[in-house]
Amino acid sequence: MVFPAFFRSLRMAPLASAMALLAACSSGGGSKPVAPSPQANQLYAQLDQASKGYETALAQARAGNAQASQQTLTAALDQLKTASAQCPSTPGCDSQRFFSVFDRLLRLKDGNFDLGDDMGSMGADLPEGSDAGKTGAASLPEAQRSVTLLRGQQLSQLIAMNGPVKAALEMWLTQWRGNLMDTYVNYQFLRYQMWPAYQKQDLPEALLFGIMAKESGGKVHAVSRSGAAGPLQFMYATGVRFGLNTEDGFDSRFDPAESARANAEYMDEQLKAFNNNLELTLAAYNGGEGRMRRLVGDNTSVSLYDPVIYNQLSQETRDYVPSVLAAAWLFLHPESYNLRFPHVDGAQGSVVLKRPASLTELTVCLGSAAGMQDGWFRTLRNLNPRLDPQVSQPAGVRIMLPKVLEKSYEARCTTGPWPILANDLHTAVIPVVPSSPSPPATTSLRNGNTSRTRNYTVKRGDTLTGILNKVGCSSVQEVSEMNDLKHHQIKPGQVLKLPTCR
């Protein structure tokens, strides 16, 4: 069902600002509750009236009465903002009541609208060529994501706005904000590969985003200290159980479509095991389903925050669950928390190379095309996970990239100075200073050229990714194959053979 266009401009950010003011002015812990004064009761009456007005506006919108709905909505929100601003200076006024109404209205909107919070920033019209003619998940407008159900229930109804989730919201909006925005941009370019698997399992897209934000930030080649790999961070054994194998030297945990499929199947399996208890399911994903089943037993309705469960979880899992839920909540309600995600045309495209080039060379010649100030290296890597970004691909190879870059490739990367400059930078040779004692000289191939290798003794606390960052290598797979590593696992004292990649 499509609602009137004016609801695309629905904003609750000013109300969120008022809620933040209330938080700053609320009484500290340990103080005794104060009986509401007559003035506080008057504010509560205004609060109730505003809430009823908001519900009336929703009903008018559903009935198609756009003008009356807009007037009612404006009056209700103005009344709510005015009352909330007066609460901190009113004796006996409990700010938590205003927070509760704010939370309820967001959930009420989720259950009554096919439009998301951030319609204005995303844009109502899809870019030409992005979704036109597509079917299934690829044709789903971004604005409809917020009403996706989880086993027949609104996702927002399953997210308890408790202390841990509120604390995680603050982290995403402050210290983790950069990672949240990077995840959003990365996800938009991966959406066409990953979202169909979630849609097939009838799982909310916001949940997929929340898991990715916490696990990898949308970096397809991410590898954790414990050996979890890929955009959704599967451990090797769990990945194999869900069909993520190594084929022709490529670990399919790094394949975004396959990783999303495996994750959706895992979530479906665990939701059934825990009777659709989302918090327990996420805890199982992070801490292991076996451990969670032993803790929960037959009581699948138990809250994750029940001390019998919560106190036996690792600190990582205690942090993980509310962090995922908070990121999912922000995905549904960005502007209600003074957050605006950028509009990203993530439609997929491809080019057939007209001249040899590596992904790094393409990144240089594309520059900041289509307004991407941070460049396109991460996106090209994510969309071409099987390719070593340093290795030159021959002419005729098809490279996946965002559709908006197809014309930029033709203009910037086929002729002219930019591909020449990119190749000159890419083939630059850095003198190698031999270690003492000098390791046996061997050779390996990079970009068709001969380069020396060196030995490295693994120290306690080292990870394969961290070692490669130190020496300038970017291919975990290459080093794993050179050293016959199983599942990229290393141990202290082990001597690795490393290519001198730069």
Side-chain angles (χ1 to χ4, degrees):
M1 182 175 182
V2 178
F3 290 94
F6 74 82
F7 275 98
R8 295 170 184 166
S9 62
L10 177 62
R11 292 289 180 267
M12 297 185 74
L15 181 56
S17 299
M19 296 299 113
L21 177 62
L22 283 172
C25 299
S26 60
S27 60
S31 59
K32 296 182 179 180
V34 180
S37 63
Q39 295 85 353
N41 285 328
Q42 290 179 4
L43 293 182
Y44 293 155
Q46 294 178 37
L47 179 65
D48 293 339
Q49 187 177 1
S51 180
K52 292 177 181 177
Y54 190 90
E55 296 179 39
T56 300
L58 297 182
Q60 291 171 330
R62 291 195 299 273
N65 194 342
Q67 184 175 2
S69 180
Q70 179 65 81
Q71 292 174 350
T72 306
L73 178 68
T74 300
L77 292 180
D78 285 346
Q79 186 175 29
L80 185 55
K81 286 184 288 185
T82 299
S84 66
Q86 293 175 359
C87 183
S89 59
T90 301
C93 185
D94 181 11
S95 63
Q96 188 58 44
R97 285 183 66 164
F98 287 84
F99 279 109
S100 297
V101 170
F102 177 58
D103 178 60
R104 189 180 72 85
L105 293 185
L106 289 182
R107 297 173 192 274
L108 183 67
K109 183 171 70 67
D110 273 354
N112 286 274
F113 280 84
D114 284 337
L115 301 181
D117 232 44
D118 203 21
M119 281 299 298
S121 62
M122 290 181 179
D125 299 322
L126 296 171
E128 183 179 357
S130 61
D131 288 330
K134 295 182 174 64
T135 59
S139 66
L140 182 67
E142 288 180 320
Q144 294 183 9
R145 294 174 302 187
S146 63
V147 297
T148 304
L149 303 178
L150 176 62
R151 302 299 188 263
Q153 301 180 72
Q154 293 291 338
L155 176 61
S156 64
Q157 299 298 329
L158 301 177
I159 300 177
M161 198 51 59
N162 55 25
V165 173
K166 288 181 180 179
L169 283 170
E170 183 186 51
M171 291 298 293
W172 284 122
L173 293 170
T174 55
Q175 298 182 47
W176 300 344
R177 192 186 188 98
N179 186 68
L180 184 72
M181 303 303 284
D182 288 344
T183 302
Y184 185 85
V185 172
N186 289 336
Y187 175 66
Q188 292 308 300
F189 293 116
L190 293 169
R191 185 172 187 253
Y192 287 80
Q193 296 184 43
M194 302 185 75
W195 167 226
Y198 254 57
Q199 186 193 43
K200 183 179 179 180
Q201 295 291 347
D202 191 28
L203 294 171
E205 185 173 17
L207 179 59
L208 171 61
F209 175 81
I211 294 173
M212 178 185 288
K214 184 59 178 172
E215 293 286 6
S216 70
K219 298 176 181 178
V220 165
H221 294 87
V223 179
S224 74
R225 287 181 176 272
S226 62
L232 299 172
Q233 293 288 279
F234 270 94
M235 294 297 291
Y236 181 80
T238 307
V240 170
R241 183 159 73 88
F242 287 90
L244 300 179
N245 301 301
T246 301
E247 302 171 357
D248 299 325
F250 176 73
D251 188 337
S252 59
R253 290 181 294 172
F254 297 118
D255 184 296
E258 282 297 293
S259 181
R261 174 197 58 75
N263 177 272
E265 291 178 2
Y266 182 96
M267 295 300 291
D268 179 65
E269 175 188 271
Q270 297 307 313
L271 282 167
K272 292 175 180 175
F274 290 106
N275 196 26
N276 295 330
N277 188 318
L278 180 58
E279 292 172 336
L280 297 183
T281 298
L282 289 172
Y285 188 76
N286 176 258
E289 65 267 23
R291 174 171 174 75
M292 286 307 301
R293 289 179 186 178
R294 288 191 297 272
L295 288 177
V296 171
D298 296 330
N299 186 16
T300 55
S301 62
V302 67
S303 169
L304 177 77
Y305 300 100
D306 186 313
V308 175
I309 305 298
Y310 190 74
N311 293 350
Q312 297 188 63
L313 300 176
S314 67
Q315 186 61 51
E316 178 185 345
T317 302
R318 291 177 199 154
D319 294 338
Y320 179 85
V321 175
S323 296
V324 169
L325 295 177
W329 185 259
L330 291 173
F331 187 77
L332 298 178
H333 304 292
E335 289 206 347
S336 293
Y337 291 85
N338 207 20
L339 176 70
R340 179 175 288 244
F341 289 126
H343 174 73
V344 178
D345 181 3
Q348 290 191 9
S350 66
V351 296
V352 176
L353 293 181
K354 293 187 175 180
R355 60 188 298 163
S358 64
L359 297 185
T360 55
E361 291 172 87
L362 291 177
T363 301
V364 173
C365 68
L366 286 170
S368 297
M372 182 65 84
Q373 296 302 314
D374 292 337
W376 290 101
F377 182 72
R378 172 57 55 193
T379 303
L380 293 179
R381 285 214 70 191
N382 281 354
L383 295 180
N384 300 274
R386 295 175 182 269
L387 299 183
D388 186 322
Q390 304 290 349
V391 174
S392 180
Q393 304 300 320
V397 168
R398 182 172 296 277
I399 300 294
M400 302 301 297
L401 43 64
K403 192 172 183 62
V404 296
L405 291 183
E406 290 179 343
K407 292 182 179 179
S408 298
Y409 168 78
E410 294 291 337
R412 303 185 182 195
C413 300
T414 57
T415 60
W418 300 125
I420 297 174
L421 171 65
N423 181 259
D424 182 56
L425 297 177
H426 187 63
T427 56
V429 177
I430 298 177
V432 178
V433 179
S435 59
S436 182
S438 178
T442 57
T443 61
S444 64
L445 292 179
R446 174 179 179 266
N447 307 324
N449 300 322
T450 300
S451 64
R452 300 174 65 85
T453 64
R454 54 166 291 188
N455 291 341
Y456 180 88
T457 301
V458 178
K459 302 178 180 62
R460 186 174 300 278
D462 274 343
T463 64
L464 188 57
T465 302
I467 293 171
L468 299 187
N469 288 337
K470 293 178 184 177
V471 300
C473 297
S474 60
S475 174
V476 172
Q477 192 66 39
E478 178 186 4
V479 175
S480 292
E481 293 174 356
M482 289 177 62
N483 294 274
D484 296 323
L485 299 180
K486 293 184 178 180
H487 320 321
H488 309 316
Q489 294 180 353
I490 57 176
K491 58 184 178 181
Q494 183 178 4
V495 178
L496 299 178
K497 182 169 60 176
L498 303 176
T500 53
C501 296
R502 295 178 187 170

